[in-house]
């Protein structure tokens, strides 16, 4: 198991979140791929999106339900600055995760996190576990608490 997947396992345990990380046989790189592999709806997939503040250069984590898109205006109001997509190499360097495997927790840095309020409608959601084909199921409230995310209206 990769270092990043193990880091997610340790972070979940430290946050009191009991997870079972699963390695899928096919790609979970997109929300649609992950939904097929996990046998759930796309809406139950948690996309971990990283954006960068235009002024501070800080990274922000947005946990968004699979079919929804981050509303950058809503997100900017929450963060207090305009946002843009962060460079994938910069994300990997700062968080320890490559795009497609960014997890909601276990980052190398403290990262301000926000969660799509729509995730709360499900009993179980699935999130990336630090590697391209590694995922885990979780109660959304427990996951959001472990990720130290603020639940908000952030997506369309």
């Amino acid at each position: 198991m990769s270092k990043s997947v193990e880091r997610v396992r340790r972070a979940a345990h430290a946050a009191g979140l009991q997870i079972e990380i699963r390695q899928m046989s096919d790609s979970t790189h997109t929300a649609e791929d992950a939904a097929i592999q996990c046998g759930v709806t796309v809406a139950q997939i948690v996309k971990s999106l990283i954006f960068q503040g235009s002024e501070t250069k800080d990274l922000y984590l947005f946990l968004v339900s699979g079919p929804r898109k981050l509303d950058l205006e809503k997100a900017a109001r929450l963060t207090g600055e305009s946002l843009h997509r962060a460079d994938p190499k910069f994300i990997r360097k700062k968080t320890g995760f490559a795009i497609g495997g960014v997890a909601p927790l276990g980052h190398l840095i403290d990262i301000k996190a926000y969660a799509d309020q729509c995730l709360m409608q499900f009993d179980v959601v699935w999130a990336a576990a630090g590697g391209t084909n590694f995922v885990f199921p979780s109660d959304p409230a427990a996951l959001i608490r472990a990720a130290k995310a603020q639940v908000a209206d952030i997506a369309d």
Side-chain angles (χ1 to χ4, degrees), residues 7-147:
R7 197 172 60 249
V8 171
R9 182 188 313 282
R10 286 193 313 269
H13 179 74
L17 180 65
Q18 300 301 319
I19 62 171
E20 177 188 338
I21 296 176
R22 301 180 191 173
Q23 182 175 12
M24 298 302 184
S25 59
D26 285 320
S27 175
T28 58
H29 186 75
T30 68
E32 293 78 12
D33 291 344
I36 291 167
Q37 290 298 304
C38 299
V40 298
T41 68
V42 177
Q44 288 175 270
I45 301 300
V46 179
K47 296 186 297 191
S48 296
L49 307 176
I50 305 279
F51 280 77
Q52 188 171 26
S54 296
E55 291 83 32
T56 65
K57 307 300 182 210
D58 289 345
L59 294 180
Y60 298 95
L61 171 66
F62 298 92
L63 306 176
V64 179
S65 175
R68 294 172 48 93
K69 292 188 174 152
L70 180 66
D71 182 316
L72 285 176
E73 288 183 18
K74 291 176 182 178
R77 282 195 294 275
L78 285 170
T79 63
E81 63 180 319
S82 61
L83 302 167
H84 62 273
R85 282 205 182 269
D87 177 72
K89 289 179 183 175
F90 187 69
I91 291 171
R92 186 175 191 131
K93 177 182 175 187
K94 291 295 189 179
T95 69
F97 297 120
I99 300 299
V102 176
L105 60 160
H107 298 260
L108 296 177
I109 59 170
D110 284 333
I111 190 166
K112 185 82 172 163
Y114 301 91
D116 182 357
Q117 62 191 9
C118 290
L119 293 170
M120 299 302 290
Q121 69 184 307
F122 300 105
D123 293 331
V124 175
V125 294
W126 289 74
T132 308
N133 293 356
F134 290 89
V135 294
F136 65 92
S138 179
D139 167 78
L143 175 64
I144 290 166
R145 192 170 40 255

